Amino acid sequence: MSTAQSIPDILSAEFAADPYPVYRALREHAPLLWHEPTKSYVVSRYEDVARVFKDKESVFTTDNYDWQLEPVHGRTILQLSGREHAVRRALVAPAFRGSELQETFLPVIRRNSRELVDAFRDRGSADLVAEYATRFPVHVIADMLGLDKADHARFHGWYTNVIAFLGNLAGDPEVTAAGERTRVEFTEYMLPIIQRRRAEPGDDLLSRLCAAEVDGVRMSDEDIKAFCSLLLAAGGETTDKAIASIFANLLAHPEQLAAVRADRSLIDRAFVETLRWTPPVHMIMRQTAAEVELAGGTVPAGATITCLIGSANRDGARYRDPDRFDLFRDDLTTTTAFSAAADHLAFALGRHFCVGALLARAEVETGVNDLLDALPDLRFADGFAPEERGVFTRGPQTLPVVFTPVGR
């Protein structure tokens, strides 16, 4: 194990500006790094991160979420294990896959996408982040849950505070306080709605969660509130950044954009390659239940491990020419990319694979199709070059584009 003093710190401005050279140095020179500021062991190679995520022996636990998530969400499904986790996942998963997703929520996705696109399609210019990407997934989730989309600004503020808390690697006390306030505010907002939905159920996801039962187990009001909080944060932030990154990547590679415009079956490939090349989430933590050998060193029991997804997804030992965006690459399998058997690590792997992966896929397919249909000759605004921002989560903060105006 190394402390690698010559490699820029993952909390440094140099890393925030461009983490990919740092990732390469970590993979080559310090694949297991003790990071004193976060009191964690950092792993950066694909095989090591995949091993942590796929863990079948419960050595790499999610106990870290007790302090990383619970203060802002309450106790969530991510903290559970064994039968308790399996039952809770069975309670929530049906809404995010199969016929329920296709028949019930796909119309919600399509309606929200088209409403947003119609607001700027005849203008000839837009910021795809501010006017579409940051709004679309939150509007979808609000509609799915039967919440008031007029509260969008509150939802966006809450999930921004939650994501900041989750990625507060430097321990900023103001970020901590904002995250803790968010839990109080969201609880005060959601619990009365949950109680009304129990008394007068509708056909929305919130009503279904209130009524769901598996093996005699039902979700409490607190369980449902915590899940909704997690859904808004994880579903909002990640899909927001994924959509923005797909267009940033395609617009920077016009020949690949032209291929997707001509053959929409390539949208999945563009999404999967974006998840590999510029994933929305760059880091996920785990906690060891026992001493373990990892990445050529020893990690003690009870230690936090920081898994660098952004590094693992660009590991040359796993992907050919890993620093090149190529939706046609043959070393990334699209057919399994939205399942626990995925090649990339953007949704994690194993039993804690992202429950919302298929929802994200449906949102991205709809959004990319709608935007390409409505915005001919789409290109960056003059003088603009895309730039990522963020450390824990990462993506373009703005994406000004121009196009030929087309009415509805």
Side-chain angles (χ1 to χ4, degrees):
M1 187 186 71
S2 173
T3 54
Q5 297 298 321
S6 62
I7 300 175
D9 190 271
I10 62 173
L11 300 183
S12 67
E14 182 177 352
F15 178 86
D18 184 3
Y20 300 105
V22 181
Y23 288 153
R24 187 182 309 115
L26 288 170
R27 291 193 303 268
E28 292 175 358
H29 304 295
L32 181 66
L33 172 73
W34 170 250
H35 186 245
E36 181 64 27
T38 59
K39 298 292 190 291
S40 72
Y41 291 83
V42 177
V43 291
S44 48
R45 291 177 176 171
Y46 181 96
E47 71 171 315
D48 298 319
V49 174
R51 177 190 167 194
V52 172
F53 288 163
K54 290 179 178 178
D55 172 46
K56 295 180 180 179
E57 299 176 357
S58 299
V59 174
F60 303 105
T61 74
T62 56
D63 289 350
N64 54 289
Y65 289 140
D66 292 356
W67 51 267
Q68 199 178 15
L69 281 182
E70 191 166 341
V72 287
H73 287 308
R75 189 162 178 79
T76 71
I77 190 173
L78 296 178
Q79 296 164 260
L80 307 180
S81 59
R83 182 177 180 277
E84 188 180 16
H85 174 264
V87 169
R88 287 296 190 281
R89 193 172 177 103
L91 285 166
V92 302
F96 299 95
R97 65 187 183 210
S99 60
E100 189 153 350
L101 175 61
Q102 291 295 317
E103 296 170 10
T104 306
F105 297 123
L106 191 56
V108 172
I109 293 169
R110 288 172 174 161
R111 181 178 68 251
N112 278 285
S113 176
R114 288 166 189 172
E115 286 175 356
L116 289 168
V117 173
D118 282 347
F120 56 77
R121 65 185 297 164
D122 59 353
R123 203 172 66 215
S125 65
D127 182 340
L128 292 186
V129 172
E131 297 181 76
Y132 187 86
T134 59
R135 294 179 174 275
F136 177 38
V138 178
H139 284 192
V140 168
I141 292 167
D143 263 2
M144 288 176 67
L145 293 171
L147 304 179
D148 187 350
K149 284 191 296 185
D151 290 326
H152 169 269
R154 298 176 73 184
F155 299 146
H156 188 267
W158 284 332
Y159 88 62
T160 300
N161 287 342
V162 167
I163 293 298
F165 184 97
L166 184 64
N168 189 21
L169 305 179
D172 185 325
E174 292 186 6
V175 172
T176 299
E180 291 170 348
R181 283 197 307 273
T182 291
R183 176 177 177 173
V184 173
E185 291 171 5
F186 190 72
T187 298
E188 292 174 346
Y189 177 88
M190 280 301 302
L191 286 185
I193 296 174
I194 293 169
Q195 289 157 9
R196 287 198 299 270
R197 221 54 64 85
R198 286 198 189 279
E200 300 177 11
D203 60 359
D204 53 79
L205 176 58
L206 190 55
S207 297
R208 295 174 193 212
L209 293 175
C210 289
E213 183 174 334
V214 173
D215 294 343
V217 176
R218 300 183 70 173
M219 298 175 74
S220 69
D221 290 0
E222 177 63 27
D223 290 337
I224 294 171
K225 184 273 298 180
F227 179 76
C228 292
S229 177
L230 181 65
L231 179 61
L232 269 171
E237 174 80 356
T238 57
T239 306
D240 162 357
K241 286 182 163 50
I243 292 173
S245 293
I246 286 171
F247 276 95
N249 294 340
L250 289 175
L251 288 164
H253 299 82
E255 73 292 346
Q256 297 188 57
L257 173 61
V260 173
R261 189 181 283 280
D263 179 1
R264 302 302 175 83
S265 70
L266 295 176
I267 291 174
D268 265 0
R269 282 185 167 272
F271 186 20
V272 174
E273 176 66 345
T274 291
L275 289 172
R276 183 199 69 81
W277 200 57
T278 51
V281 178
H282 274 235
M283 305 177 186
I284 286 181
M285 292 179 172
R286 292 289 188 261
Q287 192 164 310
T288 55
E291 182 177 281
V292 62
E293 298 298 312
L294 179 67
T298 302
V299 178
T304 300
I305 297 177
T306 299
C307 298
L308 298 181
I309 294 171
S311 173
N313 276 351
R314 290 208 187 191
D315 190 339
R318 175 60 184 81
Y319 301 106
R320 185 178 58 259
D321 199 3
D323 292 320
R324 180 167 60 93
F325 179 82
D326 179 10
L327 64 86
F328 297 106
R329 65 172 55 250
D330 58 11
D331 52 2
L332 188 61
T333 308
T334 306
T335 53
T336 59
F338 304 97
S339 73
D343 297 329
H344 66 86
L345 303 176
F347 290 133
L349 294 172
R351 63 184 177 276
H352 286 289
F353 181 82
C354 176
V355 71
L358 290 176
L359 173 63
R361 180 190 192 184
E363 290 176 318
V364 165
E365 285 183 346
T366 299
V368 173
N369 267 309
D370 286 349
L371 287 164
L372 291 181
D373 286 343
L375 312 181
D377 307 321
L378 183 65
R379 59 201 183 277
F380 291 132
D382 290 347
F384 176 77
E387 190 174 356
E388 292 183 344
R389 286 283 186 270
V391 174
F392 193 87
T393 61
R394 190 170 176 86
Q397 297 299 294
T398 185
L399 202 63
V401 296
V402 293
F403 49 87
T404 301
V406 177
R408 299 186 188 184

